[in-house]
Amino acid sequence: MSFSAEVKNEILSVETENECCRHAFAYGMMLFSRAFSSLDISLLTEHGGIAEKYCEMVKNICGVTPKLLKSDAGKYKAEVKTQEDRNKVLETFGYDKKTGALRLNWSNITDECCKNAFLRGAFLSCGTVNDPKKGYHLEFVVPYMNLSRDLTHFIKDYDELGIEPKTVRRNSNYVIYFKDSESIEDILTVMGAVNSCLELMGVKMYKDMRNNVNRKLNFESANFDKTIDAAARQIDAIEHIKNTVGLFYLSDELREIAVLRTENPDMSLRELGSNLSTPISRSGVNHRLQKICDIAQSIK
């Protein structure tokens, strides 16, 4: 089962107690079901639970019983068959049966508590969300420009969310989408998909931790490579001095660090400093090794 289907199953399990919220929920499902006019009121989905919920809400809110069919391809279609029943549904939500319903009728969302229910219904009909393991993306796909604008304004003006949706035209549809995990978490939460939100947050935490570990490993690897390169240059210089003028050409303190470096090519500067007869700091070791390199260069 996809993550999007899991989210929708969780939304379907949310109890909508207030009558006003049940009305708003049914309205969200029907308005964004792609067919909501005097000519056609129907929902087409691959999710049997959504189709059954659609029929249940239409019957309970509008007093009309849709016909539910399943195709050989596994898709479900819930449809209000007669003109009389379609007119009754439209009138329930305050629409003139002659004009259709391609705009949001705000009178169907009467209280603050109804906003969550309305958004749940809309998402069940036209929303999808990616598996967070593959990427962060949640969208509502709306076939009508004005209706997509109304949904965009609804989300922007939703104080509990405080997020700014992005929109794009895809083929003949208008897509309202979010690509940042925080906005998706907020939307899932207000829709009641709390467990799905927690799953997303868990995946995000794992990704962040893995990225931090990778960054640390890359940093340490880069530092190790630099240490090895620097050690190779220093040993080259020491060998050149040894093979030309001899190590006794160096002062006692330089000769000691030269021998220690030659015997321990993998040691860091700090480790070299702590292993001298008189320990010195990392910068002190670096200074002495640089002097050896300069002496080798002058001999060359």
Side-chain angles (χ1 to χ4, degrees):
M1 182 184 296
S2 69
F3 181 73
S4 191
E6 289 177 5
V7 170
K8 291 183 177 183
N9 282 341
E10 188 174 4
I11 290 173
L12 286 170
S13 70
V14 175
E15 293 291 336
T16 307
E17 297 180 356
N18 298 335
E19 184 63 30
C20 61
C21 293
R22 286 197 291 272
H23 181 98
F25 175 75
Y27 179 56
M29 281 196 81
M30 300 186 74
L31 182 62
F32 291 96
S33 63
R34 289 178 173 267
F36 187 54
S37 71
S38 61
L39 299 176
D40 183 13
I41 295 179
S42 62
L43 171 77
L44 187 65
T45 178
E46 296 180 351
H47 196 299
I50 292 176
E52 291 173 2
K53 177 62 76 171
Y54 179 92
C55 292
E56 175 191 328
M57 298 310 296
V58 174
K59 182 178 180 180
N60 291 344
I61 302 301
C62 306
V64 170
T65 303
K67 186 171 184 179
L68 179 59
L69 298 173
K70 183 180 180 181
S71 70
D72 294 336
K75 290 190 176 181
Y76 299 84
K77 185 176 184 180
E79 182 178 13
V80 178
K81 297 293 289 184
T82 70
Q83 185 67 63
E84 180 183 356
D85 283 346
R86 289 195 293 271
N87 291 342
K88 188 174 181 181
V89 170
L90 291 174
E91 289 169 3
T92 299
F93 296 108
Y95 289 99
D96 185 334
K97 61 187 178 183
K98 296 180 180 180
T99 59
L102 300 183
R103 298 300 300 266
L104 195 159
N105 183 350
W106 296 89
S107 65
N108 290 295
I109 310 170
T110 54
D111 295 303
E112 286 296 313
C113 62
C114 301
K115 291 182 177 180
N116 294 357
F118 172 76
L119 198 61
R120 282 201 298 274
F123 183 80
L124 288 176
S125 288
C126 73
T128 57
V129 58
N130 280 11
D131 185 335
K133 295 174 184 175
K134 299 177 181 177
Y136 305 123
H137 186 91
L138 183 148
E139 66 180 29
F140 297 84
V141 181
V142 185
Y144 308 110
M145 180 179 67
N146 288 332
L147 189 56
S148 72
R149 288 177 176 174
D150 288 346
L151 182 57
T152 300
H153 288 309
F154 171 83
I155 295 172
K156 284 174 66 175
D157 296 341
Y158 196 160
D159 293 337
E160 194 171 338
L161 287 173
I163 55 180
E164 185 84 17
K166 296 180 180 179
T167 58
V168 67
R169 183 80 183 271
R170 183 193 299 157
N171 300 324
S172 59
N173 295 310
Y174 299 86
V175 181
I176 302 161
Y177 69 96
F178 306 86
K179 295 190 78 69
D180 62 290
S181 59
E182 289 82 5
S183 295
I184 297 172
E185 289 165 12
D186 290 343
I187 292 175
L188 292 177
T189 300
V190 300
M191 290 193 303
V194 178
N195 291 331
S196 299
C197 178
L198 291 173
E199 183 178 345
L200 186 153
M201 292 171 69
V203 171
K204 180 183 171 184
M205 288 173 63
Y206 171 76
K207 284 183 176 180
D208 289 344
M209 182 174 65
R210 185 185 61 191
N211 290 337
N212 286 336
V213 169
N214 286 340
R215 278 195 295 269
K216 185 176 180 181
L217 289 175
N218 290 337
F219 177 76
E220 290 177 351
S221 176
N223 281 346
F224 181 74
D225 289 343
K226 288 179 181 178
T227 299
I228 294 300
D229 289 343
R233 289 195 303 272
Q234 294 155 5
I235 291 171
D236 257 358
I238 294 166
E239 290 295 327
H240 181 71
I241 294 171
K242 181 179 179 181
N243 295 331
T244 52
V245 297
L247 290 183
F248 281 96
Y249 181 79
L250 301 174
S251 65
D252 291 345
E253 61 180 25
L254 293 185
R255 187 165 60 253
E256 182 185 13
I257 196 72
V259 171
L260 189 61
R261 168 49 90 199
T262 305
E263 293 175 349
N264 301 279
D266 296 337
M267 271 192 180
S268 68
L269 298 182
R270 184 169 283 105
E271 289 171 328
L272 287 172
S274 64
N275 280 278
L276 291 171
S277 56
T278 302
I280 61 173
S281 66
R282 178 184 181 280
S283 60
V285 173
N286 186 58
H287 176 70
R288 291 185 185 182
L289 288 171
Q290 187 57 51
K291 284 183 70 175
I292 291 173
C293 291
D294 292 342
I295 289 170
Q297 187 62 38
S298 67
I299 293 172
K300 290 178 182 179

